[in-house]
């Protein structure tokens, strides 16, 4: 399965996907990394792995839809049939989300549907949660919603600050994103209603 990854920054989840890809028989190939931010660290990671990159700067477009259209054009030109959001910090327009329906996934650093949006870890601490985690899900038009593919839970420790919790969650993100992509590329994930089933379950 040929995949495009959309990033805006650090790209550690992109790196996890790149690293997973070296395993023999891995069923997904990253053919393009797009960043809306020039100089994003993730672009360097892609370059080092010999993956084609593109900077598509949203600020040079007249609104969301033309920007999204340019991304779809670049993704399709690269031959990708599937899109992973990995720390991509722009909201996507409905036409983009519809075009890539069930071929577009995201990773979010909470146990969705709890704690959507930004600044998750501090909010988890403020709420006194005993557990947090991360979620890989198909993308729907409402932010951080869509059929959940894989989740991982981590404990929240009494002495955690947002940084410590983020690091614990991120470690799990790097495990579940490749796992989810692999399941999809192996054709083991189906969407029924708003539920993603793995091997029919
Ligand atoms: C991750 O925490 C991811 O869950 C969220 O944005 C962050 C991106 O980190 N969507 P990185 O760029 O993959 O290192």
């Amino acid at each position: 399965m040929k995949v495009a990854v959309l990033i805006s920054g650090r790209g550690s989840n992109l790196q996890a996907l790149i690293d997973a890809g070296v395993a023999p028989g891995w069923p997904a190939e990253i053919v393009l990394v797009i960043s809306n931010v020039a100089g994003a660290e993730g672009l360097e990671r892609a370059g080092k792995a010999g993956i084609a990159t593109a900077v598509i700067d949203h600020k040079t477009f007249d609104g969301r839809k033309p920007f999204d259209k340019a991304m779809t054009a670049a993704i399709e030109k690269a031959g990708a049939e599937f899109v992973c959001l990995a720390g991509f910090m722009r909201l996507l327009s409905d036409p983009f989300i519809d075009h890539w329906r069930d071929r577009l996934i995201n990773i979010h650093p909470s146990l969705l549907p709890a704690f959507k949006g930004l600044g998750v870890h501090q909010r988890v601490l403020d709420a006194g949660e005993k557990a947090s985690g991360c979620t890989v899900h198909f993308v729907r038009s409402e932010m951080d919603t869509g059929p959940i593919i894989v989740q991982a839970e981590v404990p929240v420790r009494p002495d955690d600050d947002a940084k410590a919790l983020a690091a614990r969650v991120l470690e799990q993100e790097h495990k579940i994103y490749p796992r989810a992509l692999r399941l999809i590329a192996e054709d083991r994930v189906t969407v029924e209603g708003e539920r993603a089933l793995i091997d029919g379950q």
Side-chain angles (χ1 to χ4, degrees):
M1 188 172 78
K2 289 189 172 15
V3 177
V5 182
L6 272 48
I7 63 165
S8 298
R10 181 177 59 180
S12 72
N13 279 289
L14 165 67
Q15 188 69 56
L17 296 175
I18 292 171
D19 293 347
V22 303
W26 188 259
E29 183 198 356
I30 303 171
V31 294
L32 178 65
V33 172
I34 298 178
S35 172
N36 66 312
V37 178
E41 194 186 336
L43 289 169
E44 229 170 273
R45 297 177 188 269
K48 273 193 195 137
I51 299 167
T53 59
V55 174
I56 304 182
D57 181 353
H58 59 281
K59 295 195 291 298
T60 64
F61 291 85
D62 188 15
R64 244 178 246 290
K65 284 183 188 169
F67 167 64
D68 289 358
K69 230 174 168 179
M71 287 199 296
T72 291
I75 294 164
E76 289 181 342
K77 193 167 164 223
E81 56 204 303
F82 196 89
V83 180
C84 294
L85 305 179
F88 182 69
M89 298 305 284
R90 303 293 303 166
L91 289 175
L92 294 160
S93 62
D94 284 349
F96 183 92
I97 290 170
D98 291 345
H99 181 83
W100 293 101
R101 190 181 171 90
D102 297 342
R103 299 185 296 150
L104 172 63
I105 61 176
N106 180 45
I107 183 147
H108 181 77
S110 79
L111 291 174
L112 291 175
F115 300 101
K116 295 170 183 160
L118 296 174
V120 166
H121 305 296
Q122 189 57 53
R123 285 190 285 129
V124 167
L125 294 173
D126 292 344
E129 300 283 327
K130 298 286 185 230
S132 190
C134 46
T135 304
V136 181
H137 63 98
F138 288 105
V139 173
R140 296 290 183 259
S141 56
E142 210 183 308
M143 190 183 47
D144 298 327
T145 64
I148 290 169
I149 306 158
V150 184
Q151 292 184 304
E153 190 179 295
V154 305
V156 176
R157 305 232 163 90
D159 55 350
D160 273 348
D161 58 12
K163 200 171 158 214
L165 180 57
R168 193 174 309 120
V169 171
L170 191 65
E171 211 181 303
Q172 293 305 314
E173 292 185 44
H174 297 161
K175 290 186 181 154
I176 67 167
Y177 214 2
R179 194 180 301 150
L181 185 62
R182 178 181 200 153
L183 287 168
I184 291 166
E186 289 175 343
D187 228 1
R188 294 171 61 189
V189 181
T190 49
V191 179
E192 273 184 26
E194 280 309 287
R195 295 174 68 182
L197 304 181
I198 298 170
D199 298 331
Q201 316 229 338

